[in-house]
Amino acid sequence: MIRSRKLLASCAALTLPLALAACGDDNDDTTPTTDEPMVVEVVAVDFGFEQLPETVPAGTRLTLRNDASGELHELVAFRLDDDETRTIDELVALPPQDMQAALGEPTTVILAPPASEQIAVPIGDGTLSEPGRYAILCLIPTGADADEYLTAAAGSDGPPDVAGGPPHIAHGMYVELTVL
């Protein structure tokens, strides 16, 4: 009996999409396919990331919307080495040089000014293609002038040196994300 149910479920899973496709309009090209990458719009707030699931499939592209009250925010994704066992809390508690060494180079960086539809993506395109653990951080100095930071970032090979307080990670703006 269990074997029959599995066979019936398998047949239904295979024939239902075909039946639905046959009933659809032949001119409808808006139907998403399973080959399309997942897009997750992450919302930056003072001081956190919202609408970011704990896990996403490989190939997911992250975008960033800034709903903060006036702070510039960024989403910086670092793929952690497979042998890295420390938690995200332990990593962000390290001295800056040690944290940088543990995180390595970012896979993507997305900057989003407050109250603006404009974003800058100086590294990557937001796609997390390699499975593993990722640290998602905002390293913008608290209170930094958004225009000054973006101008300095455009002419810099690394994080710009601008006036401001501690980075947003000091306020808890970091999470761990697992890419499957």
Side-chain angles (χ1 to χ4, degrees):
M1 182 68 163
I2 292 176
R3 222 159 125 201
S4 319
R5 286 185 193 157
K6 285 183 181 177
L7 179 60
L8 182 60
S10 296
C11 289
L14 292 172
T15 57
L16 184 58
L18 295 173
L20 291 175
C23 295
D25 181 358
D26 290 339
N27 296 326
D28 183 10
D29 292 333
T30 60
T31 305
T33 67
T34 56
D35 295 337
E36 292 180 21
M38 182 173 161
V39 176
V40 174
E41 182 181 55
V42 180
V43 179
V45 296
D46 294 337
F47 290 95
F49 296 108
E50 295 181 348
Q51 298 181 17
L52 180 62
E54 292 180 13
T55 62
V56 296
T60 297
R61 186 170 61 86
L62 303 179
T63 63
L64 184 63
R65 186 180 82 222
N66 187 346
D67 283 359
S69 62
E71 291 279 337
L72 170 68
H73 287 297
E74 67 182 350
L75 181 153
V76 184
F78 296 90
R79 187 185 179 288
L80 302 175
D81 287 337
D82 291 335
D83 59 349
E84 178 60 66
T85 59
R86 291 174 284 192
T87 67
I88 187 73
D89 290 325
E90 292 171 317
L91 291 170
V92 299
L94 293 171
Q97 301 83 356
D98 295 341
M99 183 178 75
Q100 173 75 36
L103 296 175
E105 294 297 318
T107 59
T108 198
V109 175
I110 307 169
L111 294 153
S116 174
E117 296 294 316
Q118 299 298 317
I119 62 167
V121 187
I123 298 176
D125 68 354
T127 301
L128 305 177
S129 40
E130 191 175 347
R133 291 174 52 216
Y134 284 76
I136 308 294
L137 313 172
C138 182
L139 299 167
I140 302 290
T142 304
D145 179 85
D147 292 332
E148 178 187 355
Y149 189 94
L150 292 169
T151 300
S156 172
D157 287 337
D161 185 20
V162 297
H168 292 171
I169 59 170
H171 302 290
M173 194 165 184
Y174 61 87
V175 295
E176 184 175 313
L177 172 68
T178 302
V179 175
L180 305 173

